[in-house]
Amino acid sequence: MLVTKINKEIFNRYPLKEEDQIWQKLQKMNVEPKGKIPNNILCFLEEGTIRKYYLNVGIEFDQELSLDFYLAGDIFVTEKNSFSKQIYYEAIDNGVLWVAEMKEVQKLIVASPQCNTYQRLFLEKQLRDKTAKEIQRLKSTPQDLYLYLLQHRPEFLQLIPLKYLASYIGITPQALSRIRKRIS
């Protein structure tokens, strides 16, 4: 029988220790392109790319707006609140997620001061990153946003389909094509 273990090294930018209890709570989940990720779970993305998007269901057509992308080595939580009924997570390509139900994670947070500290640090970082992204989007043109991604997040341009990048920037794929042509 083949036993698979999580590659803990890929998550080294987070302050987790080898002996932390969270590692025992994680279950492996293989994901495929367009595969939906359940809500209300803690996710450790070992392989692949995940897209978080908002689905606006319209009368004539549905519109998807890419909100974020997660790459190998990222840790994230899939939301569960009233607004998240329109927020989805899906795999862009084949990958491996290690997941834990949030109720299990919450038990760890209550029982362990160290886990509680990790949660606080994680949430603070998430808030800083989200605020920086919002400011960036508000003060930048679509071309500025594309140039920022080109310089600071080149892996996005390598791993994420252009139609999703266009949605993330807030423009059509055709407008993104024009920007790419103009700057090349």
Side-chain angles (χ1 to χ4, degrees):
M1 182 165 123
L2 181 63
V3 177
T4 58
K5 284 180 67 172
I6 189 169
N7 175 5
K8 296 177 185 177
E9 286 293 312
I10 199 165
F11 304 102
N12 63 8
R13 68 176 184 230
Y14 298 96
L16 297 168
K17 294 184 173 77
E18 180 74 27
E19 66 276 2
D20 285 339
Q21 295 175 20
I22 191 63
W23 301 115
Q24 285 78 45
K25 299 290 183 188
L26 298 172
Q27 301 291 316
K28 185 177 180 180
M29 172 192 266
N30 292 313
V31 294
E32 297 175 354
K34 295 286 186 182
K36 300 285 188 248
I37 312 299
N39 281 336
N40 208 29
I41 56 175
L42 173 66
C43 301
F44 285 57
L45 183 56
E46 186 173 359
E47 294 175 18
T49 308
I50 304 292
R51 176 174 77 116
K52 175 182 177 181
Y53 67 97
Y54 172 79
L55 179 61
N56 186 18
V57 179
I59 295 172
E60 294 183 28
F61 63 93
D62 295 347
Q63 179 186 16
E64 294 180 4
L65 176 63
S66 296
L67 301 173
D68 212 344
F69 302 101
Y70 303 101
L71 308 177
D74 284 340
I75 298 175
F76 60 97
V77 175
T78 60
E79 301 171 30
K80 183 178 182 187
N81 57 47
S82 59
F83 182 69
S84 71
K85 289 179 182 171
Q86 295 169 296
I87 294 178
Y88 300 92
Y89 299 79
E90 75 175 11
I92 291 176
D93 52 15
N94 290 319
V96 175
L97 266 179
W98 292 85
V99 301
E101 296 284 334
M102 284 307 296
K103 63 183 175 190
E104 292 300 316
V105 174
Q106 289 165 346
K107 288 178 190 174
L108 284 178
I109 291 168
V110 169
S112 165
Q114 185 176 14
C115 193
N116 193 322
T117 300
Y118 289 164
Q119 180 209 24
R120 191 183 79 251
L121 292 171
F122 178 76
L123 290 174
E124 287 172 0
K125 182 184 179 326
Q126 295 291 92
L127 183 58
R128 280 192 310 273
D129 291 349
K130 182 177 170 125
T131 302
K133 266 189 236 175
E134 286 178 16
I135 291 169
Q136 179 84 28
R137 284 183 174 173
L138 288 171
K139 72 176 192 165
S140 302
T141 66
Q143 182 168 321
D144 292 338
L145 290 172
Y146 180 78
L147 290 169
Y148 176 84
L149 291 176
L150 193 59
Q151 184 175 17
H152 298 282
R153 299 301 306 261
E155 65 276 14
F156 273 26
L157 303 177
Q158 296 167 354
L159 299 171
I160 298 166
L162 293 178
K163 68 179 183 176
Y164 297 149
L165 279 177
S167 168
Y168 182 71
I169 293 171
I171 58 177
T172 65
Q174 295 80 8
L176 179 57
S177 181
R178 287 191 293 274
I179 289 171
R180 289 169 48 93
K181 186 176 181 181
R182 201 170 34 242
I183 65 172
S184 62

